[in-house]
Amino acid sequence: MVNYNNTKTGQLTRKASTPAIHELVLRHLAYVEGLENIPRTGPVILVANHASYMDHFVTKTLSESVRAGRVSFPTKSEAFESFLSRVWHESMDCYPVNRNAPGKEVFQRAHEALLRDDALVLYPEGTRNTGKGLLPFKTGAFRIALENKVPVVPIGLTGLAEVLPKGARLPRRHLLSVAIGKPLERASSGDTRSIARSMRDDAYDAIGTLKDRARHATPSDCGHALETIVELAQQIVSENLTPEGTLSAEIIHRVELLLKIADKTSQRRLDLRVQQARLDGFRAMNAPTATGAFIRTALVHRKASKLSDLHSSNDFAAYLAGRSALMLPQWFGGGAERARIHFQRATEREGNVASQAYVGLAESLAISGNTPAALQAYQHAASSIAETDPRGSARKRKIKNAIAALTSTHEGEL
């Protein structure tokens, strides 16, 4: 059977598809750190958590922004069953794997890719996982690394299941974030299997940490990551200058992609946009007329809801959407139930406004008549106040008073 990877059809498919893949990723990329940890030459294995088909596109784009060579992916054999799907996947450096009964061919195909100095992307979980945590890792990726004596770079991905959920054909309006760690260290002694298990465990811990870092990137993290990308672009240019002081077209294209990543992520400083929306909320509260307050609140709600949808890890955006929803009537997109949904999102994101989000959740539940759940939310709010919160004492008193008022009003119902 013809493998279309190196045919003219495959070359044309790659030439047409690769720029489109890059643009798709850039459209949804909010944050990336650690690109400097991907080796710029030689074979490498990239191991990442797996939540979406979008993972392939993201790892491909990030790898191609810093290194030459192709990016190979073992892919479930079902993707090669139809003719058009087989042509596309083979053209894009994917090769089939029987996930139910992986054989020696998996290791052979990986070996061939690494001999070409490819970046090989492997998902140790073995299947897509849309949960918060990680599935148990398998050792295959690390055995391949040991047998081929290549570095393993861990990558934490977050937000991709929201961008392209399982079964979806078109991407959704969400943003994704990535954190890339340093290559894993290897034990200096032991047999291959024990070292592979040790690397597996290290990768599990590293990817869990990286995924959390990507999900909760701070403004300081964003600024540092941007500076690092720009410095990396300068390094790549310096490393590849000819004696005449020129750059090849391939290097120009690579650095251009890297700078596009910097440009896109710099435009998506979510912390700035959220604080702007928050300021608009204060303006709404200070509006001189009820009509003005209503209009400003509606605009804040629209902006905060959009930011919350775009970035599924930002708790403040969800909190602002909930607060503004409480101030709007149901017929205008607000109301207690709509507010409850936003506050619930904020509490699940476990950020810096957890206590305030639980208070909002309690208020929306109380308005809806669910007093027991409202009291429970208030208790969560009290226990979520950080010791370093300068307003912590005032918040606790306010919550205590709210609990007392709610209990007194609904004493016969409890």
Side-chain angles (χ1 to χ4, degrees), residues 375-398:
L375 289 172
Q376 188 176 29
Y378 274 129
Q379 290 167 358
H380 280 301
S383 63
S384 299
I385 296 173
E387 293 182 3
T388 55
D389 187 345
R391 297 182 60 202
S393 297
R395 291 188 197 282
K396 288 179 180 178
R397 285 195 300 272
K398 187 176 180 180

Side-chain angles (χ1 to χ4, degrees), residues 70-257:
R70 309 252 278 266
V71 186
S72 295
F73 303 88
T75 305
K76 62 181 182 179
S77 56
E78 295 90 331
F80 296 80
E81 291 175 353
S82 72
F83 175 72
L84 290 178
S85 182
R86 180 167 71 88
V87 171
W88 192 85
H89 281 89
E90 289 180 351
S91 302
M92 300 308 295
D93 300 302
C94 301
Y95 58 89
V97 172
N98 185 342
R99 294 180 298 174
N100 297 321
K104 291 183 179 180
E105 186 181 3
V106 174
F107 289 84
Q108 180 59 34
R109 295 294 295 269
H111 176 68
E112 292 169 1
L114 295 170
L115 278 179
R116 297 192 301 266
D117 284 352
D118 285 6
L120 178 63
V121 178
L122 300 172
Y123 305 110
E125 289 174 289
T127 188
R128 278 181 281 192
N129 168 34
T130 57
K132 283 188 176 181
L134 298 172
L135 297 175
F137 280 13
K138 304 179 187 300
T139 59
F142 312 101
R143 288 161 56 199
I144 291 171
L146 292 170
E147 290 178 7
N148 292 275
K149 297 180 173 60
V150 298
V152 178
V153 175
I155 300 177
L157 307 170
T158 185
L160 284 86
E162 288 78 20
V163 173
L164 191 65
K166 188 173 182 178
R169 292 185 177 275
L170 296 174
R172 309 289 172 82
R173 191 189 69 178
H174 288 279
L175 297 177
L176 61 94
S177 299
V178 185
I180 304 166
K182 295 182 182 297
L184 298 175
E185 295 184 1
R186 303 180 188 182
S188 57
S189 61
D191 60 83
T192 299
R193 288 188 177 277
S194 65
I195 296 175
R197 286 194 293 269
S198 176
M199 291 181 69
R200 174 199 63 192
D201 295 342
D202 290 344
Y204 185 93
D205 293 339
I207 290 175
T209 300
L210 290 165
K211 184 179 176 183
D212 190 61
R213 275 189 60 81
R215 184 177 174 84
H216 298 110
T218 66
S220 176
D221 293 333
C222 294
H224 178 71
L226 182 60
E227 291 175 4
T228 303
I229 293 173
V230 174
E231 290 173 3
L232 180 57
Q234 294 172 341
Q235 290 175 15
I236 292 174
V237 169
S238 299
E239 292 167 356
N240 292 279
L241 278 175
T242 67
E244 294 77 26
T246 62
L247 285 176
S248 68
E250 189 274 329
I251 298 298
I252 292 173
H253 178 73
R254 193 191 314 166
V255 174
E256 182 181 37
L257 176 58

